Amino acid sequence: MVDLATAVTAVTERMLVDAGIREGMRVLDVGCGRGLVSLLIARLVGERGQVVGVDIDSRALTMARETVQDSRITFVEGDFRSLASEHGQFDAAVGRRVLMYQPDAVEALRGLARVLRPGGLMVFQEHDSTVAPTSLTPLPLHARVREWMWRTVEREGGNVHMGFGLASALTRAGLTVEHLRAEAIVQTPEMHHYVGPIARAMLPRILERGVATEVELGIDTLDARLIEERTKADATYIGEMIFCASARMPR
């Protein structure tokens, strides 16, 4: 049994490997947050590689600098769309759940392209709410929790359909898409991906946007109630679609 964040991280790691992130590369992690993806990249680029994580959130960067102790990783505060040339050029740029928060994803990618070497890679993972939660048996609590999370993202101005728009955005930005796939997080009465930790992390945002109350969420018992609902219905549930794409700059 794993939490949902761990399952999503496994998807991210497969994406990086398939895209060709490898030993010796210099990689930019855009919207790096607390540095979790930066660590994944560092393992792949090895001792000869380098990772620069950039984010506009100073609090997240403070946490990253405190918790990520790796000499190959440098964290920079700023907007990846207008990253200064002083940071040099990169072999690849990686982002997870970043484009969905850009006012214009195509323009953001074009800005990012300025710091990539000719032939460099852009690798992005974006989640999408377009596909409705799916099970053969109705699971009202599962559907409600999913709705709370996506409605919060939408009220924050996020594009909840960015996954389906990912390949198009990369192409319109002048890149050639090399790999594209979508994966689903599947849960059964025996296979659990805990959403409680993510719901807890999102709680201030959910409350601020007026999406649900603490009582409605019942975070302390949320995962147990979700498992009980699937078990009673003997149901398999798909609620999370994740799109992964890698694209290459012109040489």
Side-chain angles (χ1 to χ4, degrees):
M1 295 185 290
V2 297
D3 61 43
L4 185 58
T6 302
V8 172
T9 296
V11 174
T12 307
E13 191 163 15
R14 286 194 294 273
M15 174 186 72
L16 296 173
V17 171
D18 291 348
I21 303 300
R22 62 184 185 277
E23 178 80 23
M25 278 187 162
R26 188 166 192 264
V27 181
L28 179 67
D29 179 12
V30 301
C32 64
R34 294 176 294 166
L36 300 179
V37 176
S38 299
L39 279 170
L40 291 178
I41 298 168
R43 293 182 197 137
L44 295 175
V45 301
E47 294 302 321
R48 296 187 299 110
Q50 184 184 11
V51 182
V52 175
V54 60
D55 205 298
I56 60 174
D57 187 337
S58 59
R59 291 175 299 177
L61 288 176
T62 297
M63 294 180 65
R65 292 179 179 124
E66 290 174 351
T67 59
V68 176
Q69 303 299 319
D70 192 313
S71 60
R72 296 165 296 181
I73 304 175
T74 303
F75 294 108
V76 174
E77 184 174 348
D79 189 333
F80 75 87
R81 295 170 297 182
S82 55
L83 197 66
S85 58
E86 67 190 60
H87 297 293
Q89 288 195 307
F90 296 87
D91 300 302
V94 172
R96 182 169 75 177
R97 293 176 66 98
V98 171
L99 296 179
M100 65 191 302
Y101 286 106
Q102 303 306 311
D104 188 326
V106 175
E107 284 304 309
L109 290 168
R110 287 173 179 159
L112 181 59
R114 290 194 288 268
V115 298
L116 283 187
R117 294 188 176 97
L121 283 169
M122 285 196 196
V123 188
F124 279 92
Q125 175 180 315
E126 297 291 336
H127 297 211
D128 198 294
S129 72
T130 305
V131 178
T134 303
S135 63
L136 295 179
T137 304
L139 299 174
L141 179 59
H142 284 69
R144 197 154 60 245
V145 172
R146 180 183 184 277
E147 181 184 3
W148 288 334
M149 291 181 173
W150 277 114
R151 191 182 300 169
T152 300
V153 172
E154 193 168 31
R155 291 185 180 180
E156 290 172 334
N159 178 358
V160 299
H161 306 296
M162 189 65 235
F164 272 98
L166 180 56
S168 175
L170 289 163
T171 301
R172 289 167 57 203
L175 291 91
T176 301
V177 176
E178 295 185 336
H179 299 283
L180 176 66
R181 70 166 179 266
E183 297 193 29
I185 302 298
V186 181
Q187 302 198 63
T188 74
E190 292 78 29
M191 297 173 62
H192 311 306
H193 298 293
Y194 292 141
V195 301
I198 290 180
R200 190 180 298 277
M202 287 186 68
L203 180 59
R205 296 160 56 195
I206 292 171
L207 296 177
E208 182 182 353
R209 299 296 173 178
V211 172
T213 67
E214 285 193 63
V215 172
E216 287 175 314
L217 279 164
I219 286 176
D220 291 338
T221 62
L222 181 58
D223 283 312
R225 287 182 287 127
L226 289 168
I227 292 171
E228 181 182 21
E229 186 176 64
R230 285 197 309 277
T231 301
K232 284 185 175 180
D234 191 24
T236 294
Y237 172 76
I238 294 175
E240 189 78 6
M241 290 299 298
I242 305 170
F243 285 72
C244 301
S246 63
R248 194 170 296 276
M249 292 279 294
R251 294 189 181 275

